[in-house]
Amino acid sequence: MLRGDRVLLRAITKEDAVSLHRLNEEVETAAGATTSPWVPETVDQVVAYYEGRKPDPANVGFAVQAISSGDLLGTGSVWGIDTLNRNGHLGISLLPEARGHGYAPDALRLLCDYAFRIRGLHRLGLETLVTNSAMIAAAEKTGFRREGTLRAHAWVAGSFVDEALFGLLASEFHDPRTTKEL
Ligand SMILES: CC(C)(COP(=O)(O)OP(=O)(O)OC[C@H]1O[C@@H](n2cnc3c(N)ncnc32)[C@H](O)[C@@H]1OP(=O)(O)O)[C@@H](O)C(=O)NCCC(=O)NCCS
């Protein structure tokens, strides 16, 4: 478990999977947040997906939990870890009721802490639609720099949207907090 100021990162449980199913019910948000095409999924399918997943050191998923309430806020991941080049990518999706409360930068900092301190990575990438102002603000607040734009890269609910590319090097990551392991 990794603990920040307001959130902690821990393993995803079966009970979490039931709640996380709601992320898939927002079609446009889900379609814009991943590279896979949106398809409908039942709660049982989502639970079976999480239950069937074996720990994968190259794609590490976490539940994001509020410290104060204990509520599940959403999910975050360090994915596509390349151990030769020591890079990887960050992803995060918060449940609708958890958005807009300022949790995202703390969750992103913890994901960076896991990637840089625990896994020894050198570089992280973060890709998001140029229309995703909250994600862009949270990434910049964590220290990510915008490195480019992929024009009309993503087909999202009826139109092509540009994708913004962000990067953060381990040497640039200055975590103002002391991250504690429990
Ligand atoms: C992207 C996401 C994780 C951001 O989390 P959030 O809870 O909405 O954002 P936060 O409340 O933590 O705010 C982070 C920063 O973004 C700013 N922000 C939030 N919403 C904003 C908006 N619509 N426009 C501009 N800035 C915004 C906040 O002001 C804050 O900056 P500040 O602390 O300097 O004020 C969340 O919106 C989400 O899960 N969205 C759906 C899934 C998704 O898009 N995932 C990302 C795929 S790449």
CSV table of all heavy atoms in Angstrom, one decimal, residues 29 33 92-94 98-105 127-128 132-135 137-138 141, ligand 1:
chain,number,residue,atom,x,y,z
A,29,THR,N,-17.0,9.0,-21.9
A,29,THR,CA,-15.8,9.2,-21.0
A,29,THR,C,-14.9,8.0,-21.2
A,29,THR,O,-13.7,8.1,-21.3
A,29,THR,CB,-16.3,9.4,-19.6
A,29,THR,OG1,-17.1,10.5,-19.5
A,29,THR,CG2,-15.1,9.7,-18.7
A,33,ALA,N,-11.1,7.6,-22.6
A,33,ALA,CA,-10.0,7.4,-21.6
A,33,ALA,C,-9.1,6.2,-21.9
A,33,ALA,O,-8.1,6.1,-21.3
A,33,ALA,CB,-10.7,7.2,-20.2
A,92,ILE,N,-5.3,6.9,-15.2
A,92,ILE,CA,-6.1,7.1,-14.0
A,92,ILE,C,-7.5,7.4,-14.4
A,92,ILE,O,-7.8,8.1,-15.5
A,92,ILE,CB,-5.6,8.3,-13.1
A,92,ILE,CG1,-6.5,8.5,-11.9
A,92,ILE,CG2,-5.5,9.6,-13.9
A,92,ILE,CD1,-5.9,9.4,-10.8
A,93,SER,N,-8.5,6.8,-13.7
A,93,SER,CA,-9.9,7.0,-14.0
A,93,SER,C,-10.6,7.1,-12.6
A,93,SER,O,-10.6,6.1,-11.9
A,93,SER,CB,-10.5,5.9,-14.8
A,93,SER,OG,-10.3,6.1,-16.2
A,94,LEU,N,-11.2,8.2,-12.3
A,94,LEU,CA,-11.9,8.4,-11.0
A,94,LEU,C,-13.4,8.2,-11.3
A,94,LEU,O,-13.9,8.6,-12.4
A,94,LEU,CB,-11.6,9.7,-10.4
A,94,LEU,CG,-10.2,10.0,-10.1
A,94,LEU,CD1,-10.1,11.4,-9.4
A,94,LEU,CD2,-9.6,8.9,-9.2
A,98,ALA,N,-16.2,11.2,-7.5
A,98,ALA,CA,-14.8,11.5,-6.9
A,98,ALA,C,-14.1,12.6,-7.7
A,98,ALA,O,-13.0,13.0,-7.3
A,98,ALA,CB,-14.0,10.2,-6.9
A,99,ARG,N,-14.7,13.0,-8.8
A,99,ARG,CA,-14.0,14.0,-9.7
A,99,ARG,C,-14.2,15.4,-9.2
A,99,ARG,O,-15.3,15.7,-8.6
A,99,ARG,CB,-14.5,13.9,-11.2
A,99,ARG,CG,-14.1,12.6,-11.8
A,99,ARG,CD,-14.7,12.4,-13.2
A,99,ARG,NE,-14.8,11.0,-13.5
A,99,ARG,CZ,-15.6,10.4,-14.3
A,99,ARG,NH1,-16.5,11.1,-15.0
A,99,ARG,NH2,-15.6,9.1,-14.6
A,100,GLY,N,-13.3,16.2,-9.4
A,100,GLY,CA,-13.4,17.6,-9.1
A,100,GLY,C,-13.2,18.0,-7.6
A,100,GLY,O,-13.5,19.0,-7.2
A,101,HIS,N,-12.6,17.0,-6.9
A,101,HIS,CA,-12.2,17.3,-5.5
A,101,HIS,C,-10.7,17.4,-5.3
A,101,HIS,O,-10.3,17.3,-4.1
A,101,HIS,CB,-12.8,16.1,-4.6
A,101,HIS,CG,-14.3,16.0,-4.7
A,101,HIS,ND1,-15.1,16.9,-4.1
A,101,HIS,CD2,-15.1,15.2,-5.4
A,101,HIS,CE1,-16.4,16.6,-4.4
A,101,HIS,NE2,-16.4,15.5,-5.1
A,102,GLY,N,-10.0,17.4,-6.4
A,102,GLY,CA,-8.5,17.6,-6.2
A,102,GLY,C,-7.8,16.3,-5.8
A,102,GLY,O,-6.6,16.4,-5.4
A,103,TYR,N,-8.4,15.1,-6.0
A,103,TYR,CA,-7.7,13.9,-5.7
A,103,TYR,C,-6.6,13.5,-6.7
A,103,TYR,O,-5.7,12.8,-6.4
A,103,TYR,CB,-8.7,12.7,-5.6
A,103,TYR,CG,-9.6,12.8,-4.3
A,103,TYR,CD1,-10.9,12.8,-4.5
A,103,TYR,CD2,-9.0,12.8,-3.1
A,103,TYR,CE1,-11.8,12.8,-3.4
A,103,TYR,CE2,-9.9,12.8,-1.9
A,103,TYR,CZ,-11.2,12.8,-2.1
A,103,TYR,OH,-12.1,12.9,-1.0
A,104,ALA,N,-6.8,13.9,-8.0
A,104,ALA,CA,-6.0,13.4,-9.1
A,104,ALA,C,-4.5,13.7,-8.9
A,104,ALA,O,-3.7,12.7,-9.1
A,104,ALA,CB,-6.5,13.9,-10.4
A,105,PRO,N,-4.1,14.9,-8.6
A,105,PRO,CA,-2.7,15.1,-8.5
A,105,PRO,C,-2.0,14.2,-7.4
A,105,PRO,O,-0.9,13.7,-7.6
A,105,PRO,CB,-2.6,16.6,-8.1
A,105,PRO,CG,-3.8,17.2,-8.7
A,105,PRO,CD,-4.9,16.2,-8.5
A,127,GLU,N,-0.6,10.1,-21.8
A,127,GLU,CA,-1.3,10.5,-23.0
A,127,GLU,C,-2.7,10.8,-22.7
A,127,GLU,O,-3.4,10.0,-22.0
A,127,GLU,CB,-1.2,9.4,-24.1
A,127,GLU,CG,0.2,9.0,-24.5
A,127,GLU,CD,0.9,8.1,-23.5
A,127,GLU,OE1,0.2,7.4,-22.8
A,127,GLU,OE2,2.2,8.2,-23.4
A,128,THR,N,-3.2,11.9,-23.2
A,128,THR,CA,-4.7,12.2,-22.9
A,128,THR,C,-5.2,13.1,-24.1
A,128,THR,O,-4.4,13.8,-24.8
A,128,THR,CB,-4.8,13.0,-21.6
A,128,THR,OG1,-6.2,13.0,-21.3
A,128,THR,CG2,-4.3,14.4,-21.6
A,132,ASN,N,-9.3,17.0,-22.6
A,132,ASN,CA,-9.5,16.5,-21.2
A,132,ASN,C,-8.7,17.5,-20.2
A,132,ASN,O,-7.6,17.3,-19.8
A,132,ASN,CB,-8.9,15.1,-21.0
A,132,ASN,CG,-9.4,14.5,-19.7
A,132,ASN,OD1,-9.7,15.1,-18.8
A,132,ASN,ND2,-9.3,13.1,-19.7
A,133,SER,N,-9.4,18.7,-20.0
A,133,SER,CA,-8.7,19.7,-19.2
A,133,SER,C,-8.3,19.3,-17.8
A,133,SER,O,-7.3,19.7,-17.3
A,133,SER,CB,-9.6,20.9,-19.1
A,133,SER,OG,-10.1,21.3,-20.4
A,134,ALA,N,-9.2,18.5,-17.2
A,134,ALA,CA,-8.9,18.1,-15.8
A,134,ALA,C,-7.6,17.2,-15.8
A,134,ALA,O,-6.7,17.4,-14.9
A,134,ALA,CB,-10.0,17.4,-15.2
A,135,MET,N,-7.5,16.3,-16.7
A,135,MET,CA,-6.3,15.4,-16.8
A,135,MET,C,-5.1,16.2,-17.1
A,135,MET,O,-4.0,16.0,-16.5
A,135,MET,CB,-6.5,14.3,-17.9
A,135,MET,CG,-5.5,13.3,-17.9
A,135,MET,SD,-5.5,12.2,-16.5
A,135,MET,CE,-3.9,12.4,-15.8
A,137,ALA,N,-4.5,19.4,-16.5
A,137,ALA,CA,-4.2,20.2,-15.3
A,137,ALA,C,-3.5,19.4,-14.2
A,137,ALA,O,-2.5,19.8,-13.6
A,137,ALA,CB,-5.4,20.9,-14.7
A,138,ALA,N,-4.1,18.2,-14.0
A,138,ALA,CA,-3.5,17.3,-13.0
A,138,ALA,C,-2.1,16.8,-13.4
A,138,ALA,O,-1.2,16.7,-12.5
A,138,ALA,CB,-4.4,16.1,-12.8
A,141,LYS,N,0.3,19.7,-12.9
A,141,LYS,CA,0.5,19.9,-11.4
A,141,LYS,C,1.5,18.9,-10.8
A,141,LYS,O,2.2,19.1,-9.9
A,141,LYS,CB,-0.8,19.8,-10.7
A,141,LYS,CG,-0.9,20.5,-9.4
A,141,LYS,CD,-2.2,20.8,-8.9
A,141,LYS,CE,-2.1,21.6,-7.6
A,141,LYS,NZ,-3.4,21.8,-7.0
B,1,LIG,C1,-9.0,13.0,-15.4
B,1,LIG,C2,-9.4,12.9,-13.9
B,1,LIG,C3,-8.6,11.7,-13.3
B,1,LIG,C4,-9.0,14.2,-13.2
B,1,LIG,O1,-9.4,14.1,-11.9
B,1,LIG,P1,-10.4,15.2,-11.2
B,1,LIG,O2,-10.8,14.8,-9.9
B,1,LIG,O3,-11.4,15.6,-12.2
B,1,LIG,O4,-9.4,16.5,-11.1
B,1,LIG,P2,-9.0,17.2,-9.8
B,1,LIG,O5,-10.2,17.6,-9.1
B,1,LIG,O6,-8.1,16.3,-9.0
B,1,LIG,O7,-8.3,18.5,-10.3
B,1,LIG,C5,-7.0,18.5,-10.8
B,1,LIG,C6,-6.7,19.8,-11.4
B,1,LIG,O8,-7.4,20.0,-12.5
B,1,LIG,C7,-8.2,21.2,-12.5
B,1,LIG,N1,-9.4,20.9,-13.2
B,1,LIG,C8,-10.4,20.0,-12.8
B,1,LIG,N2,-11.4,20.0,-13.7
B,1,LIG,C9,-11.0,20.9,-14.7
B,1,LIG,C10,-11.6,21.3,-15.9
B,1,LIG,N3,-12.8,20.8,-16.3
B,1,LIG,N4,-11.0,22.3,-16.6
B,1,LIG,C11,-9.8,22.8,-16.2
B,1,LIG,N5,-9.2,22.4,-15.1
B,1,LIG,C12,-9.8,21.5,-14.3
B,1,LIG,C13,-8.4,21.4,-11.0
B,1,LIG,O9,-8.6,22.8,-10.8
B,1,LIG,C14,-7.1,21.0,-10.4
B,1,LIG,O10,-6.1,21.9,-10.5
B,1,LIG,P3,-5.8,22.8,-9.3
B,1,LIG,O11,-5.5,21.9,-8.1
B,1,LIG,O12,-4.6,23.6,-9.7
B,1,LIG,O13,-7.0,23.6,-9.0
B,1,LIG,C15,-10.9,12.6,-13.7
B,1,LIG,O14,-11.6,13.7,-14.2
B,1,LIG,C16,-11.4,11.4,-14.4
B,1,LIG,O15,-11.2,10.3,-13.9
B,1,LIG,N6,-12.0,11.5,-15.6
B,1,LIG,C17,-12.6,10.4,-16.4
B,1,LIG,C18,-11.6,9.4,-16.9
B,1,LIG,C19,-10.4,10.1,-17.6
B,1,LIG,O16,-10.6,11.0,-18.4
B,1,LIG,N7,-9.2,9.6,-17.3
B,1,LIG,C20,-8.0,10.1,-17.9
B,1,LIG,C21,-7.8,9.4,-19.2
B,1,LIG,S1,-6.3,9.9,-20.0
